[in-house]
Amino acid sequence: MTYMDMLGRRSIILKRNIGSLIMKDNKQGLSLQESNFYQNMVKEWHQNEIEMNAAKKNP
């Protein structure tokens, strides 16, 4: 598995987890802990996207 494959897989997993938390928030709301976890996942996803873009620019 290459570095780009790993970043792509991580992005997919983060998007799926973020999506499920958004659905839960829309239905019943999130606890404080879940809200913090959601915010951290969004930050990780953004960092992952930055790393993917940097890796594409510098092969």
Side-chain angles (χ1 to χ4, degrees), residues 1-16 45 48-49 51-53 55-56:
M1 176 180 266
T2 66
Y3 182 65
M4 285 300 292
D5 292 339
M6 188 267 309
L7 289 175
R9 180 70 179 135
R10 182 179 171 99
S11 180
I12 293 168
I13 292 168
L14 285 168
K15 283 193 266 185
R16 182 174 47 218
W45 179 72
N48 191 62
E49 292 296 313
E51 289 180 31
M52 284 178 65
N53 289 331
K56 287 178 185 176

Side-chain angles (χ1 to χ4, degrees), residues 26-44:
N26 288 340
K27 289 181 183 177
Q28 64 192 36
L30 297 176
S31 69
L32 181 60
Q33 183 178 12
E34 289 170 328
S35 179
N36 288 335
F37 185 62
Y38 167 72
Q39 290 174 1
N40 286 334
M41 277 199 299
V42 170
K43 288 176 188 176
E44 285 182 37

Side-chain angles (χ1 to χ4, degrees), residues 18 22 36:
I18 289 168
I22 289 172
N36 288 335

